[in-house]
Amino acid sequence: MRVDIVTIFPEFFSVLDLSLLGKARQSGLIEVTAHDLRDATHDRHRTVDDTPYGGGAGMVMKPEPWGEAIDGIVGDGASDALLVVPSPAGEPFTQQIARELAAEQHLVFACGRYEGIDQRVVDHYATRMRVRLISLGDYVLNGGEVAVMAMIEAAGRLVPGVVGNPESLVEESHEDGLLEYPSYTKPASWRGLDVPPVLLSGNHGAIAAWRHEQQIERTRRVRPELLGE
Ligand SMILES: COc1cc(COC(=O)c2cn[nH]c2)cc(-c2cccnc2)c1
């Protein structure tokens, strides 16, 4: 998988050299490149924003630098890459979308700042490639970088070979549409709190049943809508 990120803060993504994704990058499973949007400007101040037509507070990101930066990544014609724009106006990011992103060969992330990116950037690239506006949650960030980091981690860990033990990807929250069951490890008793006895019983059927019941109970309590309730 190839991942290109366009941002005015490319150094933000140097942290991706660490952690799980660091190994995936070294092994060539995932190739991540951050591009500085200001490299696609040509004025002395390297200007990427301007005042909004129609008035209003804040600034809007100019289309020209985005056009030059994205063309520099996908060329000037049609592309099979997927352009992802983190935005408060996007579809909610879910584990299902993480799985969809993990199946892509080439992802291009556009990190918006200020009040957003001139709409014509999305409109133009929608004629040449698939474009998805994706929201990390119902709140406003100063820029898309934090959202892109989360999306790259959520999708990257699903790319085959990135996580050592694929089994660990199966029993986790949202993988089966439910929240995950509570987990315990040694010691069996800690500050007067004991591990649920069923987990020490060795009865794998009873353990599986208890874990599923815990998933249902926790999902009903915290996220009833996931049960269609
Ligand atoms: C591309 O257009 C954007 C992108 C972002 C950064 O992303 C998020 O905030 C986000 C992504 N998931 N959830 C929130 C922010 C704005 C923005 C800022 C101020 C007022 N209105 C809009 C616009």
Side-chain angles (χ1 to χ4, degrees):
M1 171 189 282
R2 181 180 159 191
V3 177
D4 288 287
I5 307 161
V6 182
T7 168
I8 60 173
F9 295 119
E11 68 280 7
F12 182 89
F13 294 96
S14 54
V15 73
L16 282 174
D17 295 334
L18 312 172
S19 81
L20 175 80
L21 291 183
K23 279 203 296 258
R25 293 178 78 176
Q26 284 152 18
S27 62
L29 274 171
I30 301 177
E31 181 192 339
V32 180
T33 309
H35 307 262
D36 189 342
L37 180 65
R38 294 194 193 279
D39 290 346
T41 64
H42 304 288
D43 63 299
R44 191 155 61 93
H45 298 293
R46 309 188 85 199
T47 308
V48 295
D49 64 316
D50 204 333
T51 53
Y53 277 119
M59 302 287 272
V60 174
M61 300 191 97
K62 295 167 58 63
E64 302 100 319
W66 282 103
E68 183 174 325
I70 297 175
D71 284 358
I73 294 166
V74 301
D76 55 8
S79 168
D80 289 337
L82 173 66
L83 177 61
V84 176
V85 185
S87 166
E91 59 185 309
F93 187 59
T94 60
Q95 188 69 5
Q96 178 52 34
I97 292 181
R99 281 193 283 266
E100 291 165 14
L101 297 187
E104 294 285 341
Q105 288 307 308
H106 187 188
L107 294 173
V108 181
F109 288 96
C111 298
R113 287 236 145 217
Y114 310 103
E115 297 303 303
I117 303 171
D118 186 299
Q119 180 60 38
R120 288 169 292 181
V121 174
V122 164
D123 295 348
H124 167 75
Y125 283 102
T127 68
R128 294 172 40 189
M129 62 198 294
R130 290 164 299 135
V131 180
R132 293 182 82 166
L133 268 62
I134 300 178
S135 167
L136 205 55
D138 293 338
Y139 40 79
V140 178
L141 302 165
N142 283 331
E145 287 80 7
V146 166
V148 167
M149 191 70 83
M151 292 178 194
I152 289 178
E153 175 145 336
R157 64 193 295 275
L158 299 179
V159 172
V162 171
V163 170
N165 172 13
E167 272 292 298
S168 64
L169 296 177
V170 175
E171 292 196 339
E172 58 183 17
S173 277
H174 303 293
E175 203 44 50
D176 54 4
L178 299 173
L179 300 185
E180 62 194 20
Y181 50 77
S183 295
Y184 301 84
T185 187
K186 300 181 190 63
S189 187
W190 177 70
R191 295 189 180 180
L193 299 169
D194 297 341
V195 171
V198 67
L199 298 179
L200 310 178
S201 69
N203 180 335
H204 298 294
I207 290 169
W210 180 85
R211 283 175 166 171
H212 186 65
E213 181 46 42
Q214 289 293 311
Q215 281 186 280
I216 299 286
E217 189 277 326
R218 179 178 261 186
T219 306
R220 177 167 290 125
R221 177 163 39 85
V222 179
R223 297 289 302 281
E225 76 279 9
L226 294 180
L227 293 174
E229 293 180 355

